[in-house]
Amino acid sequence: MLALFLGSVHLAQAQDIALIARDGSVEINGTFLGFDGEFYRVDTEFGALTVDASGVNCDGPGCPDLSSYFAHVRFSGDPWAVDGLLSALVQSFAARSDYVTRIEPLERGQRITMLASDTGPVMAEFDLLHTSDGEAFADLASENTDMVVSLREATNVEVRFAADAGVGDLRDPIRARVLALDALTPLVSRSNTLNAISLESLRAVLTGKVQNWSEIGGSDAPIAVHVREHDFETQHDGFDLLPKISEFTDQMTTHATAIGVIEAIDEDPYAIGLGFVSAGGAVKALGLTGACGFFASVEAVDIKANDYPLTLPVFLYTPARRLPALAREFIEFATSPQAQVIIARTRFVDQSVGELSFRDQGHRFSNAISNAGDDVSLADLQDLTKLLQGSKRLTLGFRFEGGSTRLDAQSRSNTRLLARLLNAGVYDGKSLIFAGFSDGRGDGASNANLSRRRAASVLRSVVDSAGDDFDATRTTFTTLGVGEAMPLACDDLEWGQRLNRRVEVWVKG
């Protein structure tokens, strides 16, 4: 069996081989690229070929010893996600298979060796390598890594580079899976009197336009800014709620690690920094406020529901080439409901779907009444309340990329999560209400119609993801267009409008 595969040669490992059909009828000559336990990969004059090892004999200095084969899998990416999340998932995957693990440090990361028993044999080596996100995507394209762990999506340039190298379309959900969730948050000392900050004030602090706490409601003291050095790349390709790299104040202090930022803030009552929710530490995370009464605290349910504006999905990127069987099994495990239990034990936010009672949403209804405009009447809000009363909101939300009808990365992951629950029968005999919302631009009738179309679009995506065998009659589906009736954020700013353009799912029964 032959399968055409485009790829690039890793010259440091290049060796000549010949793959000869067992009946001698076909011979393939080329440079050995790899062996996954089942298939050879060879660079030939026709391009890179993937060849079933069961049908050929291998001849030449590059031929692997099949009797001693074990999978060697390489991961590259953000050090914080690699150490704090990926390591826990790999060790749990090994334990599930009753493998004994041996961990040893590498120059930039660690190697987790899986053995069948205390004395061997070796089943796999998983190398977890610390790089920047940019380095990791370059490694994926040049076949110097097998998978990428990233706190951001691949940029347009990285997507094109990967496609040209034969890695595949990194925007395809099959290539870009969401493992877990994290969030950026402003951090201060616990002795700081502030409990919240607006995104506008945060931008002003980070860019040096505000340099004293008294300018934003705090004590009369200079502000010291701390950031993780690596975040200058990670943060903000497409993450436009915070300043661009070139706009940050030159008075800030940079640190090699996320823990370094936390320790510096803990020691200085007048410091502020950007940190990950997953980092924890003896510091205080500031809530985010808006002039319209909007307030967002860094809670796991808000991160899951995509209601917190600085949410960061943790991506696992894979190439469009065949990986070893054990690597494929790991990918399946890492995106399974069982893995969410492991993730919940880390400081990252898992993607298990919970339910919020109607009473839990009281502050949102109160804010909706306070900010109702000319196009939203009290009767409209009363009708919405009656419709949703007795329902529970699922802790997953759906939002769209800026200026697009395409769901964002976290929402695409949520589509698959909800489809999996439908297939598992979790909502059999129940009603799911897909409620679409809009921002406040335009007239009320148009916004209600637009939000209804968004809700219908998300429902179609979920049902399509459930597959042809899914029986849609097992659950009652309803779509609803709420328009601008219940804003989550201030509509006078672009990021607030983006947060308000959403689809929620409510369950009844």
Side-chain angles (χ1 to χ4, degrees), residues 402-480:
S404 169
T405 58
R406 186 175 190 260
L407 290 172
D408 65 20
Q410 184 178 344
S411 301
R412 295 195 296 272
S413 177
N414 286 345
T415 297
R416 296 190 294 277
L417 288 172
L418 185 52
R420 179 175 282 175
L421 294 176
L422 288 170
N423 276 319
V426 173
Y427 301 112
D428 283 5
K430 298 182 180 182
S431 297
L432 288 183
I433 303 169
F434 286 71
F437 299 81
S438 73
D439 58 42
R441 297 179 301 173
D443 64 88
S446 297
N447 285 336
N449 185 46
L450 174 61
S451 62
R452 189 180 302 109
R453 294 204 308 271
R454 284 184 177 137
S457 173
V458 170
L459 172 57
R460 283 195 301 272
S461 296
V462 170
V463 172
D464 288 346
S465 295
D468 295 336
D469 295 334
F470 171 64
D471 180 3
T473 64
R474 289 158 41 187
T475 304
T476 300
F477 297 103
T478 304
T479 58
L480 173 68

Side-chain angles (χ1 to χ4, degrees), residues 230-247:
H230 183 57
D231 289 338
F232 279 99
E233 185 215 347
T234 299
Q235 252 173 245
H236 312 306
D237 284 321
F239 201 73
D240 55 2
L241 305 187
L242 293 175
K244 298 183 185 301
I245 295 170
S246 59
E247 298 173 336

Side-chain angles (χ1 to χ4, degrees), residues 17 98 110 183 192 197 241 249 262 278 347 351 401 469 489:
I17 65 171
D98 293 325
Q110 61 180 285
N192 194 302
I197 188 172
L241 305 187
T249 174
I262 290 173
S278 60
R347 289 176 172 171
Q351 297 181 89
E401 294 180 347
D469 295 334

Side-chain angles (χ1 to χ4, degrees), residues 9-20 27-34 40-45 57-65:
V9 181
H10 187 194
L11 294 178
Q13 298 176 344
Q15 296 187 66
D16 291 335
I17 65 171
L19 299 179
I20 306 167
E27 180 174 331
I28 300 171
N29 294 282
T31 302
F32 176 72
L33 293 178
Y40 295 101
R41 292 189 60 250
V42 186
D43 187 57
T44 73
E45 60 180 308
N57 294 314
C58 185
D59 183 47
C63 292
D65 180 359

Side-chain angles (χ1 to χ4, degrees), residues 215-286:
E215 299 178 63
I216 54 173
S219 305
D220 183 10
I223 301 174
V225 177
H226 296 265
V227 296
R228 188 180 69 142
E229 191 174 71
H230 183 57
D231 289 338
F232 279 99
E233 185 215 347
T234 299
Q235 252 173 245
H236 312 306
D237 284 321
F239 201 73
D240 55 2
L241 305 187
L242 293 175
K244 298 183 185 301
I245 295 170
S246 59
E247 298 173 336
F248 271 70
T249 174
D250 57 7
Q251 300 300 311
M252 66 188 170
T253 302
T254 59
H255 301 266
T257 66
I259 298 301
V261 173
I262 290 173
E263 290 174 345
I265 293 171
D266 185 40
E267 295 172 359
D268 184 354
Y270 301 116
I272 188 171
L274 285 176
F276 299 119
V277 169
S278 60
V283 292
K284 179 168 62 175
L286 295 180

Side-chain angles (χ1 to χ4, degrees), residues 38-80:
E38 300 170 275
F39 287 79
Y40 295 101
R41 292 189 60 250
V42 186
D43 187 57
T44 73
E45 60 180 308
F46 307 107
L49 299 179
T50 300
V51 182
D52 189 344
S54 65
V56 297
N57 294 314
C58 185
D59 183 47
C63 292
D65 180 359
L66 303 190
S67 63
S68 62
Y69 166 80
F70 61 84
H72 185 93
V73 185
R74 299 158 298 174
F75 298 83
S76 299
D78 186 283
W80 185 251

Side-chain angles (χ1 to χ4, degrees), residues 70-93:
F70 61 84
H72 185 93
V73 185
R74 299 158 298 174
F75 298 83
S76 299
D78 186 283
W80 185 251
V82 165
D83 287 346
L85 177 66
L86 184 62
S87 180
L89 288 172
V90 170
Q91 291 180 66
S92 297
F93 169 72

